[in-house]
Amino acid sequence: MDDELLVQIDELVECGEVESRSQAVRSALEKMLDERRGKLVAEATIEAYCRIPQTEDELRWADAGAREMIAEEPWERW
């Protein structure tokens, strides 16, 4: 890591956003890996729907369910 990056990490530690440099690095890596997992899941989901698209019956069922949920929402509270 270059000095500028270390200075920025130390600022995170000083202001209490992280407890240590190690925690800052660990948190950044966890976030990066979580984003990667999410991207892989999204890509797999898209691939699956392209390979086996929803049928017209499934789409009608999903639309009907969405309409029911919207109708049951207590809109007056908004």
Side-chain angles (χ1 to χ4, degrees):
M1 287 189 238
D2 64 27
D3 290 341
E4 179 59 30
L5 184 56
L6 290 174
V7 166
Q8 292 177 9
I9 292 171
D10 288 342
E11 288 172 0
L12 292 174
V13 174
E14 288 174 24
C15 72
E17 288 191 44
V18 294
E19 292 180 18
S20 64
R21 285 178 172 180
S22 294
Q23 184 189 15
V25 172
R26 184 172 35 260
S27 294
L29 288 171
E30 287 171 350
K31 181 180 178 184
M32 183 172 36
L33 292 171
D34 189 51
E35 288 173 0
R36 182 173 183 269
R37 275 190 295 272
K39 181 181 176 188
L40 292 174
V41 167
E43 289 173 352
T45 301
I46 291 167
E47 186 278 328
Y49 275 105
C50 289
R51 188 171 26 88
I52 306 171
Q54 292 172 303
T55 65
E56 289 299 318
D57 285 340
E58 291 169 329
L59 291 171
R60 278 191 290 279
W61 174 85
D63 287 344
R67 278 192 218 85
E68 286 178 28
M69 287 190 302
I70 290 169
E72 293 172 0
E73 185 65 30
W75 296 104
E76 64 275 357
R77 71 179 175 178
W78 304 103

